[in-house]
Amino acid sequence: MKIAVLGGDGFCGWPTALHLSDQGHDVHVIDNLSRRWIDAELGVQSLTPMDSIQERVRIWKKVTGRTITFHKIDLAKQYDRLRLWLSEETPDAIIHFAEQRAAPYSMKSDSHKVYTVDNNVSGTHNLLAAMAETGIDAHLVHLGTMGVYGYSSVGAPIPEGYLDVEIDTPSGKKGQEILYPTKPGSVYHMTKSLDQILFQFYAQNDGLRITDLHQGIVWGTHTEQTKRHEQLINRFDYDGDYGTVLNRFLIQAAIGYPLTVHGTGGQTRAFIHIQDTVRCIELALGDAPERGDRVRIFNQMTETRRVRDLAELVAKLSGAEIAYLPNPRKEAAENDLIVDNKQFLALGLEPTTLAEGLLEEVVEVAKRYEHRIDRKRIPAVSGWTKDLAARAEKDPEGNRIRSVS
């Protein structure tokens, strides 16, 4: 297949592009490279050294003989270029990762909220409008998030997209299938909720074939393909805005930094290893909906854990200390999370769970590149409100100069 990987220079996009190319597909990466300039804005860098996307695809060609083609297009701002590319290249499938992916970054300030909505929602809508206008019959696979549902405790499994309800009518109760209600906890999660509505419209109005993957928090570093050459290594974020919670704990443990748990640590999250992310994309591509079908929704996760339990697991393995800090997020202190993920299991996914060997792999990467870590960038200080931001702990190690008076 000819496959376009939108956002293919990113944390999930790059290993997915390699994985699909390795299977013999004709892979085209479309990216505006915004994640790289966000690093510059934040004054931080990937823990792992990243070459340019042009150098990355050159090395992939050298190692495997396979070609990945890069196209610099901004989905949110260059609609005409996107539409022209689709009409000329007519891909068989489109993998959509091209959205600002960090909840803390989306809550840093009003301008970050505006950017996240403009980039994510406009990019998704431009893509859908261009697909409808060009008439291409490509299968769109979108990377969404479990976070659209929030983290309240309802005591029942979150279904894969749809919920059967009964509605009172003058003639009695009638059944109806609805999208499972969303309760986004950040501007980023709100944009993913809006994506769902856009997908529903274009599937019913224009017959677009769409799969929406509601993914858990990604952890891990390597996939089978990124291990093949040092210059193919994936990016690895450790900072307070983009670093995911388990990866951050493992980084902190590797460098002797306190494991920063916010609030009680009673927040339950869904998790998935990066190797399973690329495998799920492959499985979704092989199970495409027919034209006229409803949007197909998968819960893309393999296990759930409480944050404090993760911290205790890492502390037990490493001897690291745990620091309980004020929570900069506006969320429940404790929640349960039960998730239905039967569809991927039925398609043959063999889940990668939190095995000790894989945790140690991340620690080894952290120790190898420890010299690239700026310890001042580790704390999570972006607050959901101004009051929460003011209470955020900016110095968990206690290195600030203290008054003696």
Side-chain angles (χ1 to χ4, degrees), residues 35 38 42 100-102 104-105 237-244:
R35 184 63 190 88
I38 288 174
L42 297 177
Q100 192 291 105
R101 68 169 180 83
Y105 184 84
D237 299 305
Y238 65 88
D239 64 283
D241 285 319
Y242 276 89
T244 60

Side-chain angles (χ1 to χ4, degrees), residues 1-14:
M1 287 193 292
K2 179 183 285 188
I3 302 175
V5 182
L6 314 182
D9 188 45
F11 175 53
C12 292
W14 175 244

Side-chain angles (χ1 to χ4, degrees), residues 99 120-121 124 142 191-199:
E99 295 180 275
N120 293 7
V121 179
T124 295
H142 171 256
T191 65
K192 295 289 191 175
S193 302
L194 295 172
D195 285 344
Q196 287 194 99
I197 304 301
L198 293 171
F199 295 148

Side-chain angles (χ1 to χ4, degrees), residues 380-393:
V381 298
S382 295
W384 265 229
T385 66
K386 291 180 180 179
D387 288 342
L388 290 172
R391 293 199 294 268
E393 177 56 69

Side-chain angles (χ1 to χ4, degrees), residues 46-284:
S46 166
L47 170 70
T48 50
M50 288 172 53
D51 286 310
S52 68
I53 183 64
Q54 292 88 348
E55 179 67 4
R56 287 170 128 185
V57 299
R58 186 190 72 81
I59 292 295
W60 178 247
K61 172 78 170 181
K62 179 180 178 181
V63 171
T64 66
R66 301 186 185 280
T67 298
I68 294 176
T69 308
F70 169 63
H71 311 268
K72 190 173 186 293
I73 302 176
D74 189 322
L75 267 64
K77 297 179 179 178
Q78 296 177 309
Y79 173 76
D80 290 339
R81 284 194 63 196
L82 172 65
R83 184 182 62 185
L84 179 62
W85 189 90
L86 291 176
S87 66
E88 290 180 345
E89 296 291 343
T90 60
D92 302 296
I94 300 170
I95 317 298
H96 181 18
F97 296 110
E99 295 180 275
Q100 192 291 105
R101 68 169 180 83
Y105 184 84
S106 76
M107 302 298 289
K108 288 183 77 67
S109 70
D110 57 342
S111 62
H112 290 89
K113 294 173 183 178
V114 169
Y115 167 74
T116 299
V117 172
D118 286 349
N119 182 79
N120 293 7
V121 179
S122 293
T124 295
H125 185 254
N126 283 352
L127 173 62
L128 294 168
M131 291 176 67
E133 179 65 22
T134 57
I136 63 171
D137 186 29
H139 175 203
L140 173 60
V141 178
H142 171 256
L143 192 70
T145 171
M146 289 297 305
V148 297
Y149 301 128
Y151 294 104
S152 58
S153 299
V154 297
I158 294 175
E160 300 203 83
Y162 299 95
L163 183 66
D164 292 322
V165 298
E166 284 192 335
I167 300 174
D168 290 324
T169 73
S171 58
K173 292 184 179 295
K174 291 189 177 180
Q176 184 172 338
E177 181 185 73
I178 63 171
L179 275 174
Y180 191 80
T182 63
K183 192 177 181 182
S186 72
V187 167
Y188 158 72
H189 292 108
M190 181 185 68
T191 65
K192 295 289 191 175
S193 302
L194 295 172
D195 285 344
Q196 287 194 99
I197 304 301
L198 293 171
F199 295 148
Q200 296 293 321
F201 174 78
Y202 277 94
Q204 70 184 21
N205 191 71
D206 297 281
L208 298 191
R209 300 186 296 127
I210 302 171
T211 297
D212 196 11
L213 307 177
H214 291 179
Q215 181 166 257
I217 297 170
V218 183
W219 66 281
T221 50
H222 296 304
T223 64
E224 180 185 337
Q225 290 75 31
T226 62
K227 291 178 182 178
R228 294 184 186 176
H229 193 284
E230 185 173 15
Q231 287 175 271
L232 296 176
I233 196 167
N234 199 19
R235 74 173 297 123
F236 191 101
D237 299 305
Y238 65 88
D239 64 283
D241 285 319
Y242 276 89
T244 60
V245 62
L246 178 54
N247 277 357
R248 279 168 50 79
F249 284 165
L250 294 168
I251 289 287
Q252 290 167 341
I255 66 172
Y257 195 101
L259 308 185
T260 50
V261 176
H262 296 98
T264 67
Q267 310 92 340
T268 304
R269 300 289 192 255
F271 291 90
I272 186 169
H273 189 271
I274 187 65
Q275 181 67 64
D276 283 349
T277 291
V278 301
R279 173 66 174 144
C280 286
I281 298 292
E282 173 194 348
L283 292 172

